[in-house]
Amino acid sequence: MAKPPRKQRLSVYLDPKVMGQLIEHAARRDHSRSLVAEAAIESFVSPDAAERQEAAIARRLDQFDRRMTRLERDVGIAVETLAVFIRFWLTTTPALPEPAAQAARAKAGERYEAFVTALGRRLAKGPKLWQEISEDTPADGPT
């Protein structure tokens, strides 16, 4: 019975940063540095390395696509919410007589500052309204 050929020794010089990454990766995976380096070299010289890289890029693009779809949905919800609120407010709020309108304009700056402060607090602490909406609505959409 023939013995399998022994592995051959290779001595390489690595940049200290690369060596640190190799040591860290090997320790994280509980493998020897030699095994990690061998796998990396094999992957690098393998003819299907380009295919694996393409597959990794495709997965990443799919992730971006899902995120963009989610972002489009969230922006759509925000726009519709604002449109519904504005329509409701315009149809239910009567115009003020001139003396009351002047008083309302005088109070508007103060109320706007209070709104911006409350919005800042809300954004800083979370959860965001869109998160609450997505949790409240059924997953299968409107019926």
Side-chain angles (χ1 to χ4, degrees):
M1 185 164 175
K3 286 186 180 177
R6 289 186 62 203
K7 290 186 176 186
Q8 295 183 356
R9 182 179 178 92
L10 171 69
S11 182
V12 296
Y13 295 96
L14 297 176
D15 183 79
K17 181 179 174 187
V18 174
M19 185 62 169
Q21 290 172 332
L22 174 64
I23 292 168
E24 185 179 304
H25 185 81
R28 246 192 344 262
R29 304 275 191 220
D30 198 28
H31 294 304
S32 70
R33 289 180 279 176
S34 188
L35 180 67
V36 172
E38 181 180 357
I41 292 169
E42 185 176 346
S43 174
F44 186 78
V45 298
S46 155
D48 65 336
E51 292 172 8
R52 283 197 308 257
Q53 194 173 29
E54 185 178 330
I57 290 171
R59 281 192 306 274
R60 195 72 187 265
L61 287 173
D62 287 343
Q63 289 175 349
F64 284 137
D65 185 51
R66 284 192 300 275
R67 288 178 186 160
M68 287 299 297
T69 301
R70 211 172 311 131
L71 186 60
E72 287 174 354
R73 185 205 68 176
D74 293 345
V75 168
I77 289 172
V79 168
E80 286 299 314
T81 302
L82 182 60
V84 168
F85 172 77
I86 290 171
R87 177 179 283 163
F88 177 78
W89 186 81
L90 290 173
T91 57
T92 59
T93 305
L96 297 173
E98 190 51 38
Q102 289 174 354
R105 279 191 290 275
K107 191 77 170 159
E110 181 182 322
R111 293 178 71 193
Y112 179 75
E113 287 299 321
F115 165 76
V116 170
T117 302
L119 179 62
R121 277 195 312 268
R122 174 77 182 204
L123 290 174
K125 81 172 189 177
K128 310 294 185 262
L129 179 62
W130 62 267
Q131 290 170 324
E132 293 173 6
I133 290 172
S134 64
E135 292 169 0
D136 293 343
T137 56
D140 50 67
T143 56

